[in-house]
Amino acid sequence: MERTFAMIKPEGVSRGLIGEIIMRIERKGYQIVALQMLSLTSEMASEHYAEHVGKPFFTRIVEHISSNPVVAMILEGPDVVSEFRKMMGATNPINALTGTIRGDFANDMSLNIIHGSDSVESATREIKLFFK
Ligand code: CDP
Ligand code: MG
């Protein structure tokens, strides 16, 4: 059994999509092992997005993710890291297929609703950061 870290970003919370996203996770059959609504400090946001330090969008995404509350979750299931990425859809919602979370609810890369770990190693790191 594998675990991943998922996070409903501020725009997902403010647009009232918590229920919709959790419904998709539950219907797919993934276990929600932990769930917390929280506001990120900029330190925590910087650590979460550490792989993007130095990129032109780094400051913007750190500011955005810490601007309003998010919903952080640990999901468990077979191959959940890569399978949940499929459920999320492509980073740029313009390329995300209909039926994916980003494909169905987003049209702007900086407001793409959902985060999911990109590898088992990232999942371990992100889970440690959010659920100490
Ligand atoms: O979230 P994902 O793993 O699909 O993408 P990422 O490459 O790890 O980038 C993290 C987040 O930064 C994305 O989800 C986008 O919201 C944002 N981003 C952006 O605003 N502009 C870019 N050129 C790349 C990413
Ligand atoms: Mg990523």
Side-chain angles (χ1 to χ4, degrees), residues 25-95:
I25 291 166
E26 290 186 323
R27 283 188 175 173
K28 177 71 180 175
Y30 295 138
Q31 195 72 30
I32 300 173
V33 179
L35 183 151
Q36 190 193 357
M37 184 179 240
L38 76 163
S39 296
L40 273 67
T41 60
S42 46
E43 289 73 27
M44 201 169 165
S46 301
E47 210 173 322
H48 173 68
Y49 279 132
E51 65 175 299
H52 297 304
V53 170
K55 294 182 190 169
F57 56 90
F58 178 72
T59 308
R60 177 167 51 76
I61 63 176
V62 166
E63 275 172 11
H64 170 66
I65 207 77
S66 52
S67 64
N68 280 294
V70 299
V71 173
M73 291 174 274
I74 301 173
L75 310 182
E76 187 174 272
D79 289 316
V80 69
V81 171
S82 60
E83 290 301 310
F84 187 66
R85 293 282 300 190
K86 287 184 201 162
M87 285 177 68
M88 287 164 47
T91 303
N92 189 340
I94 286 166
N95 303 320

